[in-house]
Amino acid sequence: MVAVSQLNAEGLYNSLTSLLKKHDLPIDNIRGQGYDGCATMSGSYSGLQSRVKQTVPSAYFVHCYAHRLNLVIMDVCSQNIFCRNFFGVVQNLYSFIECSTKRHGLFQQVVRSSNNCGSSKSHSLYSLSTTRWSSRADNCMVLKNILPAIMKTLKRVETETTFDVRTAGDAVALSKAIDFEFCLCLQIMHELLHLCNVLSQSLQAEHMNISAASSQIKSLICEVEELRSVSAFDKQWHDAEILAESIN
């Protein structure tokens, strides 16, 4: 981990060459580069990878496959209207509860009064990352545990006169959005994103190699295909029914 003073391509290149020189590592020995897809890193003409390749022609650039996995998940979820709408509701829930001290306090009060109360941190929603889609598995896991408390909070906002008309209206809309379809999407996305997140973290491991990465990717494909089986979907449907009953 190296702190850099400039985050543009030139600054990153200077930091890289200085680090290599400090450790007496010839830059000519570089044989590959792996970054995400932002222009600063992967730009064809003035990005970091281009500057390195101008110095070392053999330093071929390969797009980070852990980041590619996130891009695939993002594209797939964005094109599926059920997933898109589901995550839209999840983000609105975060904004509604966590972006207001009053509503957050009410939610924490509801959580503390529940029988399965744990630490407040484990019962807090997180804002959804627009790039690290696989990390949304954590949000789905938390959401499954706190969904009944969220519904109770929304009902309190609807009925208590201390909240204004607009806030009460938003609570009504969110309550109606959390239906069986929402619960089913939550079950499916939790399992799917958990598998993808495990692979994403593994691909970024320090000692990962091509053979192990290929094996784990094939394993993920098999596990995803298994999720599409009738028996797996029946279980997800059944679990969604139980979850939907718990919030009514």
Side-chain angles (χ1 to χ4, degrees), residues 135-163:
S135 67
R136 297 183 180 212
D138 296 333
N139 232 352
C140 288
M141 180 179 65
V142 171
L143 186 58
K144 284 181 62 177
N145 295 330
I146 65 174
L147 197 58
I150 286 178
M151 286 300 292
K152 289 180 181 178
T153 302
L154 294 175
K155 294 300 182 183
R156 290 273 299 272
V157 174
E158 289 178 35
T159 56
E160 293 184 4
T161 57
T162 56
F163 293 95

Side-chain angles (χ1 to χ4, degrees), residues 191-192 194-199 215-229 232 236:
E191 291 191 45
L192 180 60
H194 172 71
L195 293 174
C196 294
N197 196 38
V198 171
L199 176 60
S215 176
Q216 293 187 24
I217 290 171
K218 291 178 181 178
S219 177
L220 174 63
I221 293 173
C222 291
E223 290 178 299
V224 171
E225 289 177 347
E226 175 61 27
L227 287 179
R228 300 174 64 184
S229 67
Q236 292 166 344

Side-chain angles (χ1 to χ4, degrees), residues 83-188:
C83 293
R84 181 202 64 189
N85 295 345
F86 166 75
F87 282 115
V89 173
V90 173
Q91 182 62 44
N92 288 338
L93 283 172
Y94 167 80
S95 299
F96 184 81
I97 293 177
E98 301 296 339
C99 295
S100 163
T101 303
K102 183 178 180 180
R103 295 192 294 270
H104 174 78
L106 174 61
F107 171 67
Q108 292 299 326
Q109 178 185 336
V110 172
V111 169
R112 286 193 296 270
S113 65
S114 63
N115 294 328
N116 59 343
C117 175
S119 67
S120 59
K121 184 177 181 180
S122 65
H123 292 86
S124 298
L125 288 173
Y126 306 97
S127 182
L128 300 180
S129 170
T130 57
T131 53
R132 296 180 60 249
W133 271 70
S134 61
S135 67
R136 297 183 180 212
D138 296 333
N139 232 352
C140 288
M141 180 179 65
V142 171
L143 186 58
K144 284 181 62 177
N145 295 330
I146 65 174
L147 197 58
I150 286 178
M151 286 300 292
K152 289 180 181 178
T153 302
L154 294 175
K155 294 300 182 183
R156 290 273 299 272
V157 174
E158 289 178 35
T159 56
E160 293 184 4
T161 57
T162 56
F163 293 95
D164 58 47
V165 173
R166 180 177 179 179
T167 301
D170 290 342
V172 171
L174 286 170
S175 295
K176 291 181 177 179
I178 303 176
D179 52 12
F180 173 76
E181 182 180 292
F182 179 89
C183 293
L184 181 58
C185 284
L186 176 56
Q187 290 292 148
I188 294 173

